[in-house]
Amino acid sequence: MADRYWVNGTGNWSNTARWSATPGGSSGASVPSTGDSVFFDRAATYSVTFDSFICYCLNFTVSAGTVTFIKTNSQYIYGSLLFTVVPIFSGSATTRFVSTNTGQTITTNGSTLAGSLTFDGAGGEWTLGSALT
């Protein structure tokens, strides 16, 4: 399990030049996998495309910036989702929450998740921290 931080502006989720292993650090970290928490914590304006590479992460946090997510492929979240700012979503791909554990939370802070949502995992449980649209 590792943390991954989005750096270097607009681009595709699958591009290692956009990921860092530390906040504000150098790019070149591996693309997040099911055990990696991702953070969008920079006060900047950028777009992230969930490209042909399926987008996996453990926890998904957006805490700063003006962020647009373009969903051209599915996103799998194996933990919790927390938005303290309101990102914009477009596209019709599915967001899949996958867990076999209780204690996951979903806080959208008013953001509308485009596309469909699914919840998978025997024994998985999610608590809403805000309205889910």
Side-chain angles (χ1 to χ4, degrees), residues 9-121:
T10 295
N12 291 331
W13 182 278
S14 65
N15 186 344
T16 59
R18 304 289 178 224
W19 294 107
S20 174
T22 58
S26 298
S27 63
S30 62
V31 174
S33 66
T34 59
D36 300 329
S37 292
V38 300
F39 299 91
F40 294 84
D41 62 349
R42 301 186 76 180
T45 300
Y46 47 92
S47 295
V48 179
T49 300
F50 297 158
D51 56 351
S52 60
F53 183 85
I54 295 175
C55 305
Y56 296 102
C57 67
L58 177 60
N59 299 304
F60 185 66
T61 301
V62 180
S63 60
T66 303
V67 188
T68 300
F69 293 103
I70 303 162
K71 295 171 61 176
T72 61
N73 205 341
S74 295
Q75 179 188 26
Y76 287 69
I77 301 171
Y78 286 78
S80 296
L81 176 143
L82 172 62
F83 299 154
T84 58
V85 297
V86 181
I88 298 166
F89 284 84
S90 67
S92 60
T94 301
T95 298
R96 295 185 184 276
F97 291 94
V98 182
S99 182
T100 56
N101 300 312
T102 61
Q104 312 304 334
T105 60
I106 300 172
T107 303
T108 62
N109 196 27
S111 182
T112 299
L113 301 175
S116 61
L117 299 175
T118 63
F119 294 86
D120 296 319

